[in-house]
Amino acid sequence: MTENKDLRIRSKVISEGANRAPNRAMLRAVGFQDEDFKKPMIGIASTWSEVTPCNMHIDRLAVAAKEGAKQNGGAPLIFNTITVSDGISMGHEGMTFSLPSRETIADSIEIVTGAERFDGLVAVGGCDKNTPACLMAIGRMNLPAVYVYGGTILPGKLDGKDVDIVSAFEAVGSYHDGRITEEELHKVECSACPGPGACGGMYTANTMAAAAEAMGMTLPGSSSTAAVSARKAEECKEAGQQVLELLKQGIYPRDIMTKEAFENAITVVMALGGSTNAFLHLIAIAHSVEVELTYDDFERIRQRVPHLADLKPSGKYVMEDLNQIGGVQGVMKQLLTAGLLHGDCLTVTGRSLAETLADSAPLAADQTIIRPMDNPLKPQGPLIVLRGNLAPEGAIAKMSGIKKQRFTGPARVYDSETEATEAIMRDEIQAGDVLVIRYCGPQGGPGMPEMLSVTALIVGKGLGGDVALITDGRFSGGSHGFVVGHAAPEAQAGGPIALLRSGDLVTIDSGTQEISFDVSEAELAVRRAGWTAPPLKVKSGVLAKYARLVSSASRGAVTDLF
């Protein structure tokens, strides 16, 4: 590539010609000078917000990214998008807005980048929906881009032990069960979140950050580095510099986010025991770059990838612990050596994944966080696709930390999370029951709310593993226990879960990958004939629009089907 190559692949429509003098006048007001109009315009998409610790520091990171882009010959401009806090919106009506925020974030980045005619993009995200949303926007626009993960929170400390946000949710269950006092609950509350960064375990934010790194869309080490570390700001500066290099080399996101890159992401998610939300988000990102990705791909990869990471919620450690012993780069190096990654995939470094991993250190020799390949926690990945007459399109179970493979019990059916929560509090749910929460899917929720409060209550009451939970909603990456989500088709769309009745015998079997209920086809036909879809819960506004547009969970719950 020649050094004098014009990198203004889109902004030239603004920066040249007498007819664009008014456009340039606007940019002069925000600091542009004559020389800036000869440079490529770089958008810095910041998800900064004070509404969550995950994103409270990203304003500073965006400034660092801007500095890097400017140093390497770009004309950068920072713009913001929204975010919501899953932890704060959990357990009440606010959670219905969480998954729709993914679409809004992606749409807003696409809108600003398209309107301003940016030539390249650096996106900096934090909380759960930020990473997939940024990658969806990047994939749709297909402009040279680098994603930066804002980083994980450090663990809180209480009585010499690590605590985090899931500790707080589970402490609520322990309090209601009489096992801790209100004062002890308050201590957990005050200790769980010590500062900036996304939730510390292998929950959804860290899962998707690791997936983004495995996919090659971040600089090496991005997913492991803590939010408060000096390295995170340096990474943002380097990302700003690197987007100019991608422009010079003509490397675009769809050159990086190939089918093989998604397979690498799934491999890393399985090895780390990541969040079930990875199914939704990776399928949605793949949709944005027109790569066909289905549950069958997850299952094919799961069968050959062992679960290696002893990370929360089902394990002992958090992302900062993993960072101290080599991070996700070290895990990928181990997986590459075992022949489980496509090493020839291109990354935003301009080099292959194998080349970038060659520069990284292996995992520390004396660590206990990541198991060796010949002694895994489980010989296969813990995120399992279940199918049967209860979920013909599929449902997702996370079986890490669960010893029993099969669960059969009577259904206890509720049409909302609130009703189910009240039933748990009244001790109506007993060991051996299958708790079913329906009409919580993408349409029916609307917004497919997470059930961390419910799963935490079950665990807090000492019923973890003794009560199964099925929903057409979804689970936080912090949820654990015998839980199955994403049941599709959802109840609102007439899926079989809508026909389930309390007392029906339900079977979940991770060995045979079955999810079924013991009702004859003839009886199901009678029930279906008597079923009508309830009206959507919201008639106007963003949730109504979302419910009308959104696809099935099995297709990523996207709103731009084509």
Side-chain angles (χ1 to χ4, degrees):
M1 298 294 174
T2 59
E3 286 300 317
N4 61 357
K5 177 184 177 183
D6 192 341
L7 303 182
R8 296 174 297 169
I9 58 176
R10 297 203 309 175
S11 66
K12 199 169 183 178
V13 70
I14 293 172
S15 56
E16 290 196 355
N19 289 352
R20 294 292 174 256
N23 309 66
R24 294 192 294 274
M26 299 286 286
L27 286 167
R28 289 181 189 279
V30 300
F32 272 46
Q33 298 178 8
D34 285 347
E35 60 269 23
D36 294 311
F37 293 109
K38 300 299 181 184
K39 302 172 183 177
M41 289 176 61
I42 305 299
I44 311 295
S46 169
T47 59
W48 171 78
S49 176
E50 290 184 333
V51 303
T52 172
C54 310
N55 296 63
M56 61 187 285
H57 62 302
I58 285 175
D59 54 341
R60 301 190 298 276
L61 299 184
V63 169
K66 179 179 178 179
E67 181 183 352
K70 192 170 184 178
Q71 286 180 354
N72 206 22
L77 293 168
I78 298 173
F79 66 96
N80 277 82
T81 181
I82 62 116
T83 192
V84 300
S85 169
D86 278 19
I88 297 171
S89 63
M90 193 76 67
H92 53 83
E93 190 176 348
M95 179 44 68
T96 59
F97 291 89
S98 171
L99 188 58
S101 78
R102 185 190 72 181
E103 312 308 300
T104 300
I105 296 165
D107 291 350
S108 64
I109 293 173
E110 181 184 2
I111 286 169
V112 175
T113 303
E116 303 298 322
R117 309 316 292 160
F118 292 140
D119 302 300
L121 183 73
V122 177
V124 189
C127 199
D128 294 15
K129 306 307 174 294
N130 295 178
T131 299
C134 289
L135 293 177
M136 287 162 66
I138 287 168
R140 290 178 197 168
M141 296 179 297
N142 200 34
L143 293 172
V146 179
Y147 177 68
V148 180
Y149 176 46
T152 185
I153 196 171
L154 297 178
K157 296 289 183 182
L158 180 62
D159 299 329
K161 296 180 180 179
D162 288 350
V163 291
D164 62 11
I165 189 62
V166 175
S167 307
F169 277 104
E170 293 180 356
V172 172
S174 297
Y175 168 72
H176 285 294
D177 204 40
R179 290 188 285 125
I180 64 172
T181 65
E182 186 173 358
E183 181 181 0
E184 289 170 319
L185 175 62
H186 185 68
K187 286 182 179 179
V188 177
E189 175 187 330
C190 294
S191 305
C193 299
C199 298
M202 192 43 60
Y203 313 143
T204 302
N206 283 330
T207 295
M208 293 312 302
E213 183 167 348
M215 212 181 305
M217 286 304 300
T218 76
L219 295 178
S222 180
S223 63
S224 310
T225 312
V228 297
S229 68
R231 172 62 197 145
K232 183 55 68 177
E234 292 171 7
E235 178 197 340
C236 288
K237 186 175 180 180
E238 291 168 8
Q241 296 169 338
Q242 186 60 26
V243 73
L244 274 300
E245 298 303 316
L246 295 174
L247 268 167
K248 292 173 186 176
Q249 297 174 50
I251 296 175
Y252 291 79
R254 295 192 185 194
D255 300 325
I256 297 170
M257 289 194 279
T258 62
K259 181 64 175 279
E260 291 75 19
F262 282 98
E263 291 180 349
N264 285 345
I266 296 169
T267 296
V268 169
V269 168
M270 290 293 178
L272 293 176
S275 165
T276 53
N277 283 311
F279 286 76
L280 271 180
H281 297 325
L282 286 173
I283 290 173
I285 298 164
H287 176 77
S288 76
V289 294
E290 300 183 47
V291 166
E292 184 178 355
L293 194 69
T294 70
Y295 283 177
D296 291 339
D297 294 305
F298 284 81
E299 184 55 32
R300 169 173 53 83
I301 293 166
R302 182 192 72 83
Q303 291 180 4
R304 64 183 179 85
V305 176
H307 179 201
L308 302 175
D310 189 13
L311 294 169
K312 289 186 176 185
S314 55
K316 300 176 186 176
Y317 300 101
V318 296
M319 186 62 111
E320 176 59 14
D321 297 318
L322 176 58
N323 186 54
Q324 295 298 324
I325 57 99
V328 172
Q329 284 282 296
V331 176
M332 287 198 290
K333 197 176 183 83
Q334 181 170 313
L335 293 169
L336 180 67
T337 301
L340 294 175
L341 292 177
H342 301 288
D344 57 348
C345 284
L346 185 63
T347 75
V348 293
T349 65
R351 300 185 298 161
S352 71
L353 181 66
E355 288 170 331
T356 63
L357 291 176
D359 293 338
S360 65
L363 293 169
D366 58 350
Q367 58 86 26
T368 58
I369 300 169
I370 303 297
R371 302 283 280 271
M373 298 297 296
D374 59 359
N375 184 29
L377 291 165
K378 286 182 179 290
Q380 296 178 327
L383 305 177
I384 298 175
V385 178
L386 306 174
R387 287 189 174 95
N389 69 348
L390 189 51
E393 289 181 12
I396 310 301
K398 183 173 181 177
M399 302 307 295
S400 54
I402 300 297
K403 293 179 179 165
K404 64 171 74 172
Q405 282 195 317
R406 185 179 176 90
F407 196 112
T408 298
R412 303 293 178 227
V413 182
Y414 300 90
D415 288 347
S416 73
E417 182 182 4
T418 299
E419 293 172 1
T421 299
E422 291 171 354
I424 296 168
M425 300 290 288
R426 292 193 299 264
D427 294 326
E428 293 177 7
I429 307 301
Q430 302 295 321
D433 286 344
V434 178
L435 176 61
V436 178
I437 308 176
R438 64 188 179 189
Y439 294 103
C440 294
Q443 289 183 329
M448 206 178 179
E450 291 180 350
M451 304 290 174
L452 177 56
S453 291
V454 173
T455 58
L457 274 175
I458 290 170
V459 171
K461 279 185 163 286
L463 293 171
D466 294 323
V467 168
L469 172 56
I470 298 172
T471 181
D472 53 5
R474 59 196 178 90
F475 295 108
S476 163
S479 293
H480 58 106
F482 215 112
V483 296
V484 181
H486 306 214
E490 62 174 291
Q492 185 70 38
I497 192 171
L499 309 179
L500 192 63
R501 294 178 180 173
S502 287
D504 289 343
L505 204 61
V506 174
T507 294
I508 307 163
D509 193 317
S510 63
T512 61
Q513 295 179 247
E514 171 193 358
I515 181 168
S516 63
F517 60 126
D518 190 14
V519 176
S520 69
E521 287 297 322
E523 172 62 17
L524 283 178
V526 171
R527 293 185 187 183
R528 184 168 297 284
W531 179 84
T532 56
L536 293 175
K537 292 173 184 172
V538 182
K539 295 181 179 179
S540 64
V542 65
L543 292 181
K545 180 167 58 176
Y546 180 85
R548 289 193 297 268
L549 293 173
V550 71
S551 74
S552 168
S554 65
R555 299 186 67 183
V558 296
T559 56
D560 65 334
L561 284 179
F562 46 79

